[in-house]
Amino acid sequence: MTSLEICSRGSVEHARVMELRDYQWEVIGPALEGRNIIIWLPTGAGKTRAAVYVAKRHLEMTRNAKVAMLVNKVHLVHQHYSKEFQPFLQNKYKILTTAGDTEKPHFAHLVKQNDVVICTAQILQNAINCDSEEKHVELTDFTLLIIDECHHTHKDGVYNKLMHIYLEKKIKENQNLPQILGLTASPGTGRASTFESAVEHILQICANLDTWKIMSPQTHIDDLEAKAKQPKKQYDLVPERTEDPFGNKLKELMKAIHEYLGETGFINPEFGTQMYEQKVVEMEKEAAVESNRMKRTCALHLRKYNDALFIHDTVRMKDAYDFLDVFYIEEKFIKNSDDPTDIFLCQLFHVNSDILIDICGKKRYEDPKLQRLEDILKDNFQSSSNFRGIIFTRTRQCTHYLHKWIIDNASLKDLNLKTAPLTGAGYSNQSKHMTQNQQQEVIEKFRQGALNLLISTSVAEEGLDIPECNVVVRYSLMTNEIAMVQARGRARSEDSCYSFLAKSGGRESKRELTNEALEDLMKRAITHVQNMPEREYEAKIKDLQMESLIQRAVKQKQQEEKRKFQPADVRFDCRHCSAAAAYGSDFCVVEVHHVNINLNFKVYYEVYTEPLEMKKMEDWVPGGSIRCRFCKLHWGYLIIYKGVPLPVVSIKKFVLQTPESRKPYNKWKDVPFSLNQFNYNEYCEQLSDMEDD
């Protein structure tokens, strides 16, 4: 192990020592020579520390150097700054941090004034696309790009969009391009089923990142294994319930809804699966296009029942019942609808609620996985203040209900479990979300020991700088090999345990075995790419890059051809009740928001919540949620832009009526017309004229 002392220019008082292990020196060698590489190291092996050293050397050796550290999650901005960049570079170099909730109004000027910029990739993408002189930057303003979790550089991800700009410049100019340093613990296989397709996936990531080579330790493997120890893995497989009257009752009610619709094509075994959920989503889309309110309403309720089956398959029967009960209370008392379909669906649940409550009281019907989870916690948890664990589960609802189950479980009281859910910050109508501040607070408490057990969705799988865990449980999860590797990497303490808990012979356990095979396939594919002859590798990378540029150009052309209607010819109908609510000409873009600037739009919506807890930008603050005044469907929310309330809507809540067809679009980028930028002064004049009238 070698240490490097980094001191401030005029002071030794705040000197910090950066220590790099032998395997870290080995993998950063080509990067110190200015080459583009991907560093492939396990979670906890110090990829970021190695990158910070590369950044320091780059700043010292490169004229007019400027480094950008790009991340894919907001909390990683603060984490990388406080844990790595600030301790070792702050006294010598100026560092700027900015993320979605703290976007800087004069970003371009601040970039010029700082040596290192740590930001989400979306911030940089927004700045590159922005026409404002105060915010606009070029990719070539930077001399080194460090891309965290670089396996996300594929398809339409923001990393790949940035690298597409890079590749275009490389083909056209091939000068002043930044050096690229990618970091990953698991590039994955890209759903490959063969060795050849896995190799192709690895080569595609290398091409996207313009990589000279994937670097992993070859001569210092023992040093790496001593640092990044693998946990003991155990399969905790339990039998299915011998009887499941609660789940059967929910499926019976779902079947009754299909019969109400006159449909009999759905059979019970499909209920409670991801496949069934996809079918219900398609049913809802078809109903929206057909203006079939009955079908759409039934589809929404069927999805809630399917969510309840997910919860039932994860936590207690009571939790699944409570989930449905809250939904139907809202349906009955908040919407207060007299529509026959709404009345039928509410009555169907309430007529059967006593039966469901009675079944909930019989513990012999509970999921056996819960008892096994209780045993795992008892076997592996200790009262030590340094003992920590994570339970990974599949949905946000499940994190909250598992948290509640632990709190309510008297037999776990002696373990002194201090637990909290950790979920994504993205807004969702289907489930409760956490704000970024709430996320950060939970992570910090876990780091400090105020919490010792997290119940998390995939948000905690990668990137988080959290203490080494003694136990990690993947609870009834069916994900890919990347998620498996990332989650396993959280169990890094001495004699740690990684448990996979699922039904014996179920889809989840079969997938976990597949993931192990895919992990081995990934390793073999990476080794093959690393050992390719230089000329063969370079030729393949060049071909893939050209193919990628052509495909993106064709796709962009196709999207432009779609937008052939005048905004005034495109009508927005409420997806639920089909009420005509707006025209395309009513919408403008305010920063990243799509707002309706027609002052008469307020006739069609109502505000029904207090101001939301969400990120605040430079010129606006969040207002309350808005919904259709007629059918109460949630449409979006208000933003208060420089004191002016503006309604922001979700495209998914409307069906677009065009001269040729009706179609429910799912993303704003797919709408068949172009949106104009918002003119604040002009809008204020319209407001003033309306008030005068």
Side-chain angles (χ1 to χ4, degrees), residues 18 44 52 94 235 430 438 455 491 578 581 608 618 653 662:
M18 178 186 288
V52 171
K94 294 180 180 179
Y235 276 87
Q430 288 296 111
Q438 288 171 333
I455 305 166
S578 300
Y608 70 102
E618 60 189 89
K653 303 301 179 180
R662 288 168 61 95

Side-chain angles (χ1 to χ4, degrees), residues 74 77-78 98-103 120 123 436 615-617 620:
V74 170
V77 171
H78 311 291
T98 179
D101 55 346
T102 56
E103 191 169 358
T120 56
I123 291 289
Q436 289 160 358
K615 61 185 182 183
K616 300 175 177 61
M617 304 294 277
W620 63 267

Side-chain angles (χ1 to χ4, degrees), residues 360-517:
C360 287
K362 299 174 181 177
K363 290 188 176 182
R364 66 180 182 277
Y365 299 135
E366 289 290 10
D367 191 342
K369 294 196 298 293
L370 281 176
Q371 182 59 54
R372 187 68 191 107
L373 178 60
E374 181 179 317
D375 294 340
I376 292 168
L377 292 175
K378 289 178 177 178
D379 291 344
N380 290 279
F381 239 90
Q382 301 172 4
S383 59
S384 167
S385 59
N386 295 323
F387 210 87
R388 290 177 177 84
I390 301 179
I391 301 171
F392 288 103
T393 190
R394 56 183 164 182
T395 68
R396 294 177 180 183
Q397 293 108 325
C398 290
T399 64
H400 292 283
Y401 286 122
L402 272 175
H403 168 64
K404 191 173 186 301
W405 169 75
I406 290 173
I407 291 174
D408 294 344
N409 194 324
S411 65
L412 295 176
K413 296 292 184 184
D414 293 341
L415 297 183
N416 193 30
L417 296 176
K418 295 168 286 188
T419 182
L422 179 63
T423 66
Y427 182 80
S428 168
N429 291 328
Q430 288 296 111
S431 56
K432 184 178 179 182
H433 71 290
M434 297 184 78
T435 66
Q436 289 160 358
N437 286 339
Q438 288 171 333
Q439 274 187 339
Q440 200 63 38
E441 182 180 351
V442 168
I443 293 166
E444 193 57 35
K445 284 183 177 179
F446 188 68
R447 198 176 284 143
Q448 295 173 353
L451 296 172
N452 58 12
L453 179 63
L454 294 184
I455 305 166
S456 177
T457 57
S458 61
V459 69
E461 283 176 350
E462 64 181 36
L464 288 183
D465 177 31
I466 56 179
E468 297 175 344
C469 290
N470 304 83
V471 58
V472 169
V473 181
R474 292 234 306 158
Y475 186 75
S476 196
L477 278 179
M478 190 166 68
T479 55
N480 62 20
E481 72 280 8
I482 294 177
M484 180 191 74
V485 171
Q486 299 279 10
R488 186 182 64 206
R490 296 293 160 204
R492 302 196 302 271
S493 64
E494 198 71 28
D495 298 323
S496 57
C497 170
Y498 167 70
S499 164
F500 181 79
L501 174 54
K503 286 186 293 189
S504 179
R507 289 172 296 124
E508 295 88 351
S509 56
K510 291 176 182 176
R511 179 66 203 191
E512 186 75 0
L513 291 170
T514 299
N515 286 340
E516 291 183 357

Side-chain angles (χ1 to χ4, degrees), residues 642-662:
K642 297 181 179 178
V644 177
L646 295 171
V648 178
V649 304
S650 167
I651 194 73
K652 295 181 181 181
K653 303 301 179 180
F654 297 89
V655 175
L656 271 60
Q657 175 83 292
T658 69
E660 292 183 0
S661 65
R662 288 168 61 95

Side-chain angles (χ1 to χ4, degrees), residues 58 61 69 110 133 161 165 169 195 203 220 223 305 382 394-395 410 427 508 516-517 610 643 660 665 681-682 690:
H58 181 85
M61 305 299 292
M69 174 75 180
L110 291 169
E133 186 177 342
K161 290 178 181 177
I165 296 170
K169 289 183 178 294
F195 176 73
L203 285 168
H220 296 97
D223 184 37
Y305 275 105
Q382 301 172 4
R394 56 183 164 182
T395 68
Y427 182 80
E508 295 88 351
E516 291 183 357
E610 295 297 318
E660 292 183 0
Y665 292 82
N681 293 329
E682 182 180 313
M690 177 170 276

